[in-house]
DNA sequence: GCAGGAGTCCACCGATCGGTGGACCCGAGA
DNA sequence: TCTCGGGTCCACCGATCGGTGGACTCCTGC
């Protein structure tokens, strides 16, 4: 690898963007060729600049990191994507990887880890933060990944808003019994037995 | 103001720290004299280095930003504090300002705003992000700031964990009726009428 | 010294929820 | 073709919750 690694940095937070750029630009063999401030912008620049890799934040305006990743990989498969997240427990970890991300690091990671991650991904390898790798393995071991159906998610979101089963039924043009069925199934998937815990768990996992 | 502004940067995220440092160090008249990786470290360095101001993240290991702010202001009142947050709706905004912070900016703020904020605070002024300023005003207008008592917070946290009133009573050595009393008062303060909505609201406001 | 708020406790009732055990339709994939 | 899973619906029951209206202790502040 004697070529310079050309990197596009995408993050809506100015300070974070500056941080990634500062860390990467200081490294020999790494060059930051562009900065994007939201998801759409990231996709545009990725397609026009064709960097070796994009360092992208999961949570961004306009397009979330995982959707942006999918768009980039779809139209420019040779561009690799390294996703950054603030939270260890983010539902988008899985979806970003499914979307074709080659790495997933925590923002809390030390600078060396980020730089090593960039080099690994540019070299065609995969880069995962240890905690995220452990989480992936854990999810694989669990038989049920607790993926909620669209309807279940919809119902749970209304529960989070404090609506009763009857009110949810009215809102969704469903019978109260149907709402309860969805909810019961949701409880089962999440391994809880009351609506409140279901909501907090779903929020923590980024499900709603 | 012909002197150089001496700044201490405290953030547990390496990339964010690097970003703030990069943005500030590039400015004439601003010098970064130290970096802290957690709350305790920030207090230590603030006391030993005596910077003109500390740029500090709200959420940090060991000591949260507001507590660290209070400690610094207590033992070194001449050191000003500028707090950074990721979230607009953070309960710690108020407590940080009460603790003596001179400014409160969003990490999503453009670089110029951060730099202007640093200069303002160093000059003895106050720096607030527009959205945060608006939020403060809104809170002032509301008669009840919905501050929960320690007991109410404790009960609500257990509710969030999915415990029933009876279970919470057992856990806290209280009667079930007492738990209900606390909850009812909590509902009133938050303006809701069911436990689930109370929990989601409290989570959104950073109360639990 | 006394008001007021936090914390504790009680009884009681109607409403809602959790849980069970069904049933039917329909579309996708084996 | 037929199975399987998502989505819809129903009845029924006991458990729990929301809400009311009290009452008693502390402790802090005016």
């Amino acid at each position: 690898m004697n070529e310079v690694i050309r990197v596009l940095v995408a993050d809506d937070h100015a300070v974070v963007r500056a941080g990634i750029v500062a860390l990467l630009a200081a490294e020999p063999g790494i060059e930051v060729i562009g900065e994007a401030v939201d998801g759409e912008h990231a996709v545009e620049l990725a397609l026009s600049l064709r960097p070796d890799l994009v360092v992208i934040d999961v949570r961004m305006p306009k397009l979330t990191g995982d959707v942006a990743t999918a768009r980039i990989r779809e139209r420019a498969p040779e561009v690799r994507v390294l996703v950054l997240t603030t939270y260890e427990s983010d539902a988008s970890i899985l979806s970003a990887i499914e979307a074709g991300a080659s790495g997933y690091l925590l923002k809390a990671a030390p600078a060396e880890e980020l730089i090593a991650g960039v080099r690994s991904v540019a070299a065609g390898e995969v880069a995962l933060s240890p905690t995220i790798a452990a989480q992936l393995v854990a999810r694989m071991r669990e038989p049920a990944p607790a993926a909620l159906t669209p309807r279940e998610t919809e119902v749970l979101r209304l529960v989070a808003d404090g609506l009763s089963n009857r009110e949810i039924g009215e809102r969704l043009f469903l019978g109260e019994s149907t709402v309860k069925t969805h909810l019961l199934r949701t409880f089962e998937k999440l391994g809880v037995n009351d609506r409140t815990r279901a909501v907090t768990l779903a929020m923590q996992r980024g499900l709603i």
Side-chain angles (χ1 to χ4, degrees), chain A:
Chain A
M1 197 62 132
N2 48 11
E3 292 232 341
V4 169
I5 303 171
R6 296 162 63 249
V7 181
L8 169 65
V9 175
D11 197 306
D12 56 317
H13 291 50
V15 290
V16 178
R17 215 166 49 235
I20 302 171
V21 172
L23 290 177
L24 295 184
E27 285 297 306
I30 299 180
E31 186 190 353
V32 176
I33 58 166
E35 299 182 30
V37 300
D38 62 49
E40 281 180 8
H41 194 201
V43 176
E44 282 170 30
L45 288 185
L47 296 181
S48 60
L49 298 176
R50 301 280 166 158
D52 294 313
L53 77 93
V54 183
V55 175
I56 194 168
D57 185 22
V58 246
R59 307 219 172 174
M60 278 199 296
K62 298 195 183 173
L63 280 185
T64 56
D66 47 353
V67 178
T69 300
R71 298 256 176 106
I72 293 171
R73 297 286 303 170
E74 190 184 316
R75 296 184 226 172
E78 80 281 9
V79 176
R80 298 180 194 283
V81 178
L82 176 59
V83 179
L84 286 188
T85 182
T86 308
Y87 314 95
E88 295 182 16
S89 61
D90 206 309
S92 45
I93 294 177
L94 278 182
S95 53
I97 289 175
E98 276 170 19
S102 300
Y104 213 113
L105 297 181
L106 288 173
K107 284 190 188 170
E112 309 80 53
E113 202 173 310
L114 172 65
I115 291 160
V118 167
R119 294 198 192 279
S120 298
V121 171
E125 297 164 16
V126 164
L128 287 182
S129 280
T131 49
I132 288 175
Q135 205 187 329
L136 275 182
V137 172
R139 292 218 187 181
M140 290 304 173
R141 270 205 271 264
E142 279 176 18
L148 301 183
T149 67
R151 208 50 163 172
E152 287 162 356
T153 307
E154 208 173 359
V155 169
L156 192 57
R157 201 168 278 140
L158 292 175
V159 168
D161 285 340
L163 275 70
S164 70
N165 292 340
R166 188 177 39 76
E167 288 169 330
I168 295 170
E170 285 167 9
R171 185 80 70 92
L172 262 29
F173 306 106
L174 297 177
E176 185 184 340
S177 311
T178 310
V179 174
K180 290 171 111 179
T181 307
H182 288 307
L183 232 28
L184 259 345
R185 242 198 278 282
T186 303
F187 294 169
E188 208 178 325
K189 286 182 180 176
L190 297 178
V192 303
N193 40 32
D194 78 277
R195 59 211 290 112
T196 306
R197 181 66 187 135
V199 166
T200 57
L201 238 186
M203 286 178 89
Q204 282 164 8
R205 296 197 187 166
L207 263 33
I208 56 173

